[in-house]
């Protein structure tokens, strides 16, 4: 009979959970129990701390819905999301690195023609983002799909702007030379949602709860690994301490300033504008 004591409970619980029918679950659950018990032992967890943790997890669930994903936010600020991304997308040197998807991607963005403006008249610094999508061999990839989304001048995404629809998100395709180009406005850095249990925990630390100015892109082409990534504005605040650990050095790109005058797409601008030149390099499909 397996009666427990403080020394044997871990092994007994691991054995019990190792009976899971799904072989991955039979590997994951005993390992999870091993590390949970080791954690409780290491910090000498008290009953008050244990219940505070349970209440925090409950609050994470209670505030979540299909738009507010507090569990993912918790994983993001603990660095777990980026760790999982990096372990599962060990792309070869030279390929554009992957990052977290984040909670603000919306499926089914409108398809836009090359050089079309996805900011549709919103105020902000005008920004032209362009480059080539290519393979590791340098070959341009025609007809690659770029699904892009970003925050506005206030640092808000569509899901955070009441009544907004098809707001600062779009789908573009590369031309027959693998080139893409789009007009938008420069995204602002922003604070992650701080009005929930993740925010309450962060408030008890010195952690900065901001993300640096960035632009999200998901790039997909047949025969290549899908790429989920960000472009970060060189020189932006918070690049060194992004609260979700999303910044990878090759993703930092200058936003070059231009004086008023002729701009890509045949327009004459009477205000200064910015360009970001960035080539996305895709790894071949496994
Ligand atoms: C984002 O970039 O959209 C994001 C990622 C993780 C947490 C919060 C926001
Ligand atoms: Fe973002």
């Amino acid at each position: 009979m397996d009666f427990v004591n403080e020394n044997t409970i871990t092994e007994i619980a691991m054995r019990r959970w190792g009976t899971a029918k799904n072989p991955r679950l039979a590997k994951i659950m005993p390992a999870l129990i091993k590390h949970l018990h080791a954690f409780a032992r290491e910090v000498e967890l008290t009953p008050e701390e244990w219940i505070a943790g349970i209440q925090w997890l409950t609050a994470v669930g209670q505030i979540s819905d299909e738009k507010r994903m507090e569990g993912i936010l918790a994983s993001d600020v603990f660095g777990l999301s980026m760790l999982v991304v990096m372990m599962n997308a060990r792309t070869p040197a030279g390929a554009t690195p992957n990052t977290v998807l984040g909670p603000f991607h919306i499926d089914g963005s409108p398809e836009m023609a090359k050089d079309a403006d996805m900011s549709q008249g919103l105020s902000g610094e005008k920004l032209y983002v362009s480059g080539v999508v290519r393979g590791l061999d340098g070959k341009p990839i025609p007809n690659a799909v770029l699904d892009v989304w970003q925050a506005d001048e206030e640092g808000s995404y569509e899901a955070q702007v009441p009544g907004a629809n098809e707001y600062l998100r779009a789908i573009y395709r590369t031309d027959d030379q693998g080139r893409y180009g789009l007009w938008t406005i420069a995204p602002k850095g922003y604070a992650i949602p701080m009005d929930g249990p993740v925010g309450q925990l962060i408030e008890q630390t010195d952690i900065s709860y901001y993300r640096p100015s960035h632009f999200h892109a998901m790039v997909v082409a047949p025969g290549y690994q899908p790429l989920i990534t960000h472009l970060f504005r060189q020189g932006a605040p918070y690049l060194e301490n992004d609260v979700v650990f999303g910044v990878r050095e090759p993703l930092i790109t200058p936003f070059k300033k231009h004086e008023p005058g002729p701009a890509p797409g045949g327009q004459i601008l009477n205000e200064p504008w910015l360009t970001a030149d960035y080539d996305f390099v895709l790894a071949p499909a496994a």
Side-chain angles (χ1 to χ4, degrees):
M1 196 51 101
D2 270 350
F3 290 115
V4 298
N5 64 42
E6 193 183 324
N7 296 319
T8 61
I9 187 164
T10 303
E11 205 193 310
I12 293 169
M14 284 173 69
R15 217 181 308 132
R16 199 175 280 181
W17 280 95
T19 62
K21 303 289 173 279
N22 177 308
R24 270 303 278 171
L25 197 60
K27 189 173 165 79
I28 288 169
M29 289 310 298
L32 178 62
I33 284 161
K34 179 168 85 181
H35 290 285
L36 275 177
H37 287 211
F39 152 75
R41 287 193 172 95
E42 182 181 325
V43 301
E44 297 181 40
L45 198 67
T46 66
E48 294 74 28
E49 290 160 349
W50 169 79
I51 195 66
I54 300 290
Q55 282 163 346
W56 185 83
L57 286 171
T58 305
V60 166
Q62 282 169 339
I63 202 173
S64 296
D65 59 25
E66 65 286 350
K67 282 200 168 171
R68 177 75 185 249
M69 297 179 193
E70 196 77 358
I72 294 186
L73 188 63
S75 163
D76 293 341
V77 303
F78 295 159
L80 181 63
S81 308
M82 270 305 282
L83 175 62
V84 172
V85 165
M86 292 188 285
M87 286 191 314
N88 286 278
R90 291 193 182 109
T91 42
T96 304
N98 284 266
T99 59
V100 288
L101 175 70
F104 296 120
H105 175 260
I106 300 177
D107 284 333
S109 286
E111 281 231 22
M112 293 202 181
K114 185 161 177 288
D115 294 345
D117 187 346
M118 73 171 194
S119 72
Q120 307 199 14
L122 285 172
S123 63
E125 288 176 288
K126 281 197 167 296
L127 168 67
Y128 182 67
V129 188
S130 66
V132 174
V133 177
R134 53 185 172 82
L136 270 177
D137 52 6
K139 264 209 207 135
I141 306 172
N143 213 29
V145 176
L146 283 93
D147 184 342
V148 297
W149 68 105
Q150 65 165 92
D152 63 16
E153 254 213 319
E154 310 291 326
S156 301
Y157 285 85
E158 175 172 319
Q160 299 169 303
V161 178
N165 188 31
E166 300 191 347
Y167 187 87
L168 285 171
R169 60 186 175 96
I171 290 176
Y172 294 87
R173 282 175 191 271
T174 54
D175 65 14
D176 51 9
Q177 284 146 58
R179 291 205 65 81
Y180 74 93
L182 63 98
W183 277 101
T184 184
I185 51 169
K188 278 275 149 64
Y190 54 86
I192 57 163
M194 286 293 289
D195 56 344
V198 170
Q200 282 162 13
L201 205 54
I202 287 182
E203 295 284 13
Q204 297 182 53
T205 72
D206 287 337
I207 294 172
S208 155
Y209 45 85
Y210 288 90
R211 299 219 61 206
S213 163
H214 63 270
F215 177 92
H216 295 261
M218 192 187 305
V219 187
V220 178
Y224 295 89
Q225 288 179 36
L227 170 68
I228 295 174
T229 197
H230 291 51
L231 296 188
F232 293 94
R233 182 175 187 166
Q234 192 177 70
Y238 315 115
L239 282 173
E240 297 77 26
N241 56 353
D242 179 10
V243 61
V244 305
F245 308 92
V247 182
R248 304 182 75 179
E249 218 240 318
L251 303 176
I252 301 174
T253 192
F255 284 16
K256 284 184 224 138
K257 201 157 191 169
H258 302 268
E259 291 312 314
Q267 42 186 326
I268 311 284
L269 294 178
N270 47 23
E271 61 200 297
W273 47 286
L274 301 164
T275 53
D277 275 310
Y278 198 84
D279 290 356
F280 293 101
V281 183
L282 305 190

